Each structure stands twice: as structure tokens, then as C-alpha cells.
Amino acid sequence: MLKTLDNYSVNGFFDEAIIDSNHSRPAAKPLFSQLKDTPFNSFQEMQKSAEMAIAQMGISFTVYSDKGNIDRLWPFDAFPRTIEAEEWNSITKGLKQRLQALNRFIEDVYNEQEIFKAGIVPLEVITSSRDFRPECIGMKLKHNSWANICGSDLVRDAEGKVYVLEDNLRVPSGVSYMLENRAVMKQVMPEVFRDMNILPVDQYPLQLLSMLRSLCPQNCDNPEVVVLTPGIYNSAYYEHAYLAHEMGAELVEGSDLVVLEDDCVYMRNIEGLKQVDVIYRRIDDAFMDPEVFRADSALGVPGLIRAWKAGNVAIANAPGCGVADDKVVYAYVPEMIRFYLDEEPLIDNVPTYLCDREEDRNYVLDHLNELVVKPANESGGYGLLIGPRASEEELAEFRALILDNPRNYIAQPTLNLSTVPTVCEETLEPRHVDLRPFILQGEKSYVTSGGLTRVALTKGSLVVNSSQGGGSKDTWIVVTEENT
């Protein structure tokens, strides 16, 4: 064990590194062996070095506020999270299974609708969804793959069991920070990387490019792939630019693309026009094409949906896939896995109450101070109620919101999220974490070795989102001696 952790207490939570004051978890043992005599002030120096590297590398994110868009340096903690490779192999299988079922579901929504006919998912769940796109009805996609990039958020409970908390299928973000976190840690702890068997993450951009190329509607050797961004004022613009650069793809805005009378998409460049085969879009459906969706959108490309439906361009993630991003739909994913794949889910959902069901709604209203309540289509930690920490005024407000629009709310138990040692002012202290791995699906499937660990930097907080004061850690998938 680390001397610095002599007074560390897990406080009844599942800690990712420590079992008790005398024992570490297998994945953390090699790290503790490397750092066993490291005093706390050395961890503070590592933290300062990490923050300097982030500033020098210009790793930033944008927070939207009433006072405008504020660019901030990426919040990062220098003490890594470790997970055993053997456990990660099992998680990987579960994530691939889940995304396969979700893609089958989206295809079914816009075509045969067999799952509704079977009575497993109520049709009104879809027709009332904000992200259901009737314009996509009848579309069949290559590899039956609509959600090509998914970020599924994982959590552990107090017993250490892994659950999927939610799936992010529209325009999931965060993977660039996973990659940059690793680059920073290699600067901060280079000797540890030499002596530990930590699985790499840096192949993700090539895996992403390979997956995008596999979506090309035409059979060509070198498809033209572009990344479509809303522009520099988007909170994830850093990531858009980073991934385009790493893939060797063009970063474009809507005004850089045009759809001609042949229903093909072309990119404007200094040489004229060049046909585009695959678009990795980082803008929401509503802004993609003013001919079909919001007529006032200046971010999209007029005629883009027409070109897509004609089979002349691939779009990842496909329009309409957000219908499976709905938190109400999330509750049905285990049944989707059984229906489409004839398999049992390898990773469970968190128990979920749907407020549009009378029985569930009555339970939620009676136990509001015990539950976490979420709106069906928000992200970034916005619009949450954490019942045990809510005021009477907040509980009353959410009671009214649920009664006014029950379809828009789900509730889940307040999980005792797992913790990881974190560099604080005076010592290493436990802070709560989740994990967002990234799953790709095109011709083949791929899961990152780990993902973006998000950490609630405020003591006792369960909110890990960077927009809500959270930070991140590097995630190490460790091959231990027991598994070699």
C-alpha cells in the first residue's frame, strides 16, 4: 500500500483501488508498488505538472452560461483509475452486445416495427419521443448500423457491480479527452508506463476512421471522410478539430458543403468541388438540413438528407438514431437484447421507474426524496434532481414537473457510486466516479480499452459532468501477473 493512503477510508463505498487499509485491488497493486514510498507532496507536484501540460497543450472545454460561452482548461486529476484486463474483456462483450441490440432497434423503429407488434415496447414511447424522425421511415443502412459511435456511461454500486447508467447515441463526446488524458499521464508518470502492462488507447482515431470508411455507400478504395462541426463556439469544438486532425480528415462547417442536382454532397476547396462519401456529423438532427428540419438553421447543409436517402453519402451517427438515446427507451434495452439477439444482457441497467406508468409514477412521487429523477432527453447533468440532497422547494418543483409531463421523466435509486483516490489539498481522498467507454459499430465493432473516467471533484458530490464542476482521470486497463 501507499504510505500516503495510511488514513484513507473507503467509507462503505466500493473503491476502485483499495479494499481496506491494508489491501489494494489487483489492478492497483503494480501502481502502488511503483509509488509505495511517494510522499503526498510528490503527488501534488504530479498534479501541477499535469495541469501545466494541459495548459501547454491547450486542452479546453466550453461551459455555456448566462454570461456567454466560457472556455476553461480541462479539469484533470493525476491519480489514475485502474481496472483489470480480464474484467474489461467481459465489459467489452456486454457493450458490443448492447450496441448491436440498439442498432437493431433503431432499424426496426423506421421499418418493420416488430418489437412494437410483439408488445414489448409501447409504440407511443417512440411516437412521443423528441428525437423520432418520421423522415427516416423506410431507410435501410449499410451493416444495419445507425448509431456508429456510442458512449455508454457505466457505474459501480456499493458491491462493485457494473451497471449501464445511460447510452449516448446522438453525438457522444469526450473521447478526445480520454486520449489527451493518456498523453498527459505519460508525461507525469513515464517510469510507471515503462514498468506496467497498461493497454493502449491511442489507436482509437484509426479505428474510428476505419469504421467510417466501412460506411461508404460506394465501393471505393479511399472514401472521402469529413467531420462536420457547428463551429468554434460549440462546447466540443476542441474534440471535433482534434479527431479530424488525428484521422487526417477535413474539418468542415455546413457552408463548406453543397448538394448539387445529382443528389451528391461536395466539399468546396481551393481546387473547386470534391465529392464527400462519409460525414461524421457533430451537429444535432434539427440543424442538419434546413430543407427537412429547422428552416432557420445556418449550421447544416441544404439537401443533405436528400443525398443521404438517395444512398450517395453516409452520415454517422445516422439521422434519427437519437430515438434510442431517450432515457425512457433506455429502460427497455434489456428486453431489446432478448428480443433481437435471443441473449441475456451481459451488463444490467440500473433499476428504472418510468413516470408515465401510473404505478411507477405513484412510487416516485411517494419516494421523491430517495431517488434521482432525470428528464428523458437532457444531457450534461442538467435538469437532475438528486432526492436525498434536494430542498423541500426542489422536491415540490419536481413533483409539479412530473405531474405536468410524466412522459419526460424517469427515476432511479440513488447509487453509491464507486470511488477512486484523488489528489486533494492535504491528502489523497476518495471521490466518486463513472466511466464512459466508446463503442464503434460499422462493418466491425470496437470498444476502447477503458474510457473517460469522470470524477466528482467536490467532496461527497455524485455529479461528475465537467459542465457541473466535475473532472476526469486517466483510465488504465491493467494486465496483471495473474492474467498473463
Side-chain angles (χ1 to χ4, degrees):
M1 290 289 291
L2 297 178
K3 290 172 62 177
T4 311
L5 294 172
D6 286 346
N7 298 316
Y8 187 93
S9 175
V10 299
N11 297 320
F13 298 104
F14 182 96
D15 194 88
E16 301 278 338
I18 295 166
I19 299 173
D20 56 41
S21 58
N22 296 312
H23 300 89
S24 61
R25 299 203 181 276
K29 282 182 180 178
L31 173 65
F32 287 1
S33 177
Q34 291 277 328
L35 303 175
K36 60 183 178 181
D37 296 321
T38 304
F40 179 66
N41 65 337
S42 294
F43 286 105
Q44 289 178 308
E45 291 301 316
M46 292 178 193
Q47 182 65 34
K48 290 178 183 176
S49 296
E51 291 169 357
M52 288 178 59
I54 287 167
Q56 291 169 355
M57 296 163 72
I59 307 172
S60 64
F61 75 108
T62 303
V63 175
Y64 297 124
S65 73
D66 293 337
K67 297 180 181 179
N69 301 337
I70 303 171
D71 283 325
R72 295 179 178 171
L73 291 177
W74 180 242
F76 178 76
D77 183 78
F79 197 97
R81 176 195 196 156
T82 53
I83 301 172
E84 279 193 281
E86 184 176 14
E87 181 186 23
W88 190 250
N89 286 340
S90 298
I91 292 172
T92 292
K93 292 175 183 176
L95 292 171
K96 288 182 177 181
Q97 176 197 57
R98 191 174 181 94
L99 186 55
Q100 184 182 0
L102 283 163
N103 272 304
R104 291 279 296 274
F105 172 72
I106 302 167
E107 179 95 354
D108 196 17
V109 165
Y110 294 114
N111 290 278
E112 288 78 13
Q113 300 194 341
E114 295 293 340
I115 200 166
F116 309 113
K117 296 172 185 175
I120 293 169
V121 179
L123 182 59
E124 58 267 23
V125 166
I126 298 306
T127 56
S128 64
S129 172
R130 187 186 72 179
D131 292 297
F132 173 62
R133 306 295 179 197
E135 299 85 357
C136 298
I137 290 174
M139 281 296 293
K140 295 275 190 177
L141 299 187
K142 194 173 183 180
H143 312 304
N144 300 316
S145 185
W146 291 67
N148 312 105
I149 304 102
C150 174
S152 289
D153 293 339
L154 305 179
V155 294
R156 289 191 199 268
D157 66 6
E159 284 70 50
K161 181 177 178 178
V162 173
Y163 292 89
V164 175
L165 183 64
E166 64 182 44
D167 304 291
N168 297 281
L169 300 169
R170 285 174 289 189
V171 280
S173 63
V175 74
S176 65
Y177 299 114
M178 175 196 79
L179 298 169
E180 295 283 39
N181 285 353
R182 179 58 54 86
V184 169
M185 285 303 292
K186 284 185 174 180
Q187 292 189 41
V188 172
M189 295 184 182
E191 70 287 347
V192 175
F193 280 90
R194 285 197 299 268
D195 298 328
M196 285 181 64
N197 192 350
I198 302 165
L199 296 184
V201 296
D202 55 2
Q203 69 270 43
Y204 178 83
L206 290 179
Q207 292 286 348
L208 175 62
L209 180 61
S210 176
M211 182 279 293
L212 292 170
R213 285 175 168 170
S214 79
L215 304 179
C216 179
Q218 317 302 328
N219 293 320
C220 55
D221 295 330
N222 190 26
E224 185 67 33
V225 177
V226 301
V227 178
L228 176 60
T229 177
I232 61 173
Y233 297 109
N234 184 266
S235 62
Y237 180 77
Y238 174 88
E239 176 160 296
H240 307 166
Y242 177 91
L243 291 174
H245 178 268
E246 292 299 307
M247 288 193 294
E250 293 289 344
L251 180 67
V252 299
E253 297 184 25
S255 58
D256 298 317
L257 302 178
V258 61
V259 178
L260 299 183
E261 293 181 359
D262 60 358
D263 289 342
C264 292
V265 181
Y266 295 88
M267 173 175 54
R268 297 184 175 95
N269 59 30
I270 57 174
E271 298 174 354
L273 296 177
K274 185 172 186 179
Q275 187 170 348
V276 172
D277 300 297
V278 182
I279 298 173
Y280 177 23
R281 56 98 172 206
R282 296 299 299 258
I283 63 176
D284 289 334
D285 284 0
F287 299 96
M288 286 177 59
D289 183 349
E291 286 186 4
V292 176
F293 302 124
R294 285 187 53 160
D296 62 344
S297 173
L299 301 176
V301 185
L304 179 56
I305 298 302
R306 178 163 33 93
W308 176 66
K309 295 182 80 168
N312 294 326
V313 69
I315 302 174
N317 286 345
C321 75
V323 73
D325 203 321
D326 189 307
K327 291 180 178 64
V328 174
V329 172
Y330 155 91
Y332 294 97
V333 174
E335 290 304 319
M336 292 178 200
I337 292 170
R338 298 182 182 102
F339 181 76
Y340 294 115
L341 307 182
D342 195 24
E343 299 171 357
E344 284 299 308
L346 298 175
I347 308 177
D348 286 337
N349 275 15
V350 175
T352 301
Y353 302 96
L354 302 179
C355 291
D356 63 345
R357 293 177 179 167
E358 183 178 3
E359 183 179 354
D360 283 10
R361 181 170 63 256
N362 290 338
Y363 178 86
V364 171
L365 294 174
D366 288 343
H367 298 82
L368 206 52
N369 62 341
E370 303 169 14
L371 302 169
V372 175
V373 180
K374 302 177 181 179
N377 289 290
E378 289 288 349
S379 59
Y382 294 101
L384 288 179
L385 173 80
I386 300 178
R389 302 181 185 189
S391 66
E392 288 300 323
E393 292 78 9
E394 289 170 324
L395 292 172
E397 177 189 355
F398 266 80
R399 183 180 302 275
L401 289 170
I402 291 168
L403 289 170
D404 181 60
N405 186 7
R407 163 63 176 83
N408 193 47
Y409 291 93
I410 69 163
Q412 296 170 329
T414 306
L415 293 179
N416 292 321
L417 300 185
S418 61
T419 59
V420 178
T422 300
V423 182
C424 298
E425 289 186 5
E426 298 180 358
T427 187
L428 294 174
E429 296 181 2
R431 292 292 185 267
H432 295 291
V433 294
D434 76 355
L435 177 63
R436 178 175 292 180
F438 294 87
I439 311 102
L440 303 178
Q441 185 171 322
E443 184 178 16
K444 301 176 182 177
S445 295
Y446 168 81
V447 179
T448 52
S449 296
L452 179 66
T453 286
R454 302 183 301 175
V455 54
L457 294 175
T458 302
K459 187 173 184 177
S461 173
L462 297 173
V463 181
V464 299
N465 305 78
S466 55
S467 56
Q468 305 291 313
S472 72
K473 290 174 171 285
D474 193 14
T475 310
W476 294 1
I477 306 303
V478 180
V479 180
T480 58
E481 291 183 3
E482 292 89 337
N483 298 317
T484 55

